Structures are given as structure tokens and as C-alpha cells.
Amino acid sequence: SDVRLQAIWALGRRAEHGTGSLLSPFLNDPDLALRGMAAWAIVQIDRKQPASSRADQGGGRSPVCNLDTAAAFSRKQAKQRAVHAG
């Protein structure tokens, strides 16, 4: 996972248009670090896009809205794992 984590970080740091779709699958990864890094990278990419480009995605909704949902889902999963483990 270290190599994947570094690759995700690099994509976020470069923040090139169009690379966010490569990161979306990592939002559901079982590894919390990968999920978090993917969310961070997508936000970085979203910030670099012009507002008109963001408005073209999802009917005017920013991909960050989806990140909020993904983060809430990840927290819920983590709580459920903790309950079942303990």
C-alpha cells in the first residue's frame, strides 16, 4: 500500500485535470490511509479546475459533495468494524 499511497499523493500534488476519476475507486478501499489520501487528492484536483469545468460535472455539483458522502460512509464502516472487533 506504500507505493499506492505515494502514487495517489503524487496525483493530488500535480492536480492535473482528468485524473480524479483514477482516484475514485480508492474512496472505497479497505485501507483508511488510502481512502483518506484519495479524498485529499481529489480535493486538490478539484481546487485546480476552473469553476466552469466543475459546474459541468454532476449537474453543477462539485465532486467534493461526493467526498463528504464517502467520508461519512467510511466513518460508519470504521465504527461498525470496531463494534464487531471488540
Side-chain angles (χ1 to χ4, degrees):
S1 101
D2 289 334
V3 172
R4 292 186 297 164
L5 198 59
Q6 291 173 5
I8 292 169
W9 177 86
L11 287 171
R13 183 80 170 124
R14 292 181 58 97
E16 292 181 13
H17 179 70
T19 56
S21 61
L22 298 172
L23 299 168
S24 297
F26 290 102
L27 293 174
N28 295 318
D29 196 275
D31 185 332
L32 178 62
L34 289 175
R35 286 195 314 266
M37 187 62 74
W40 171 85
I42 291 170
V43 169
Q44 300 309 307
I45 294 164
D46 184 57
R47 286 182 180 166
K48 294 272 182 155
Q49 289 182 11
S52 61
S53 176
R54 287 195 303 265
D56 293 340
Q57 299 173 357
R61 293 180 56 201
S62 170
V64 175
C65 297
N66 296 333
L67 291 178
D68 292 337
T69 303
F73 180 73
S74 294
R75 285 192 298 272
K76 182 178 177 183
Q77 282 186 322
K79 285 180 185 177
Q80 288 175 344
R81 283 189 205 117
V83 168
H84 293 297

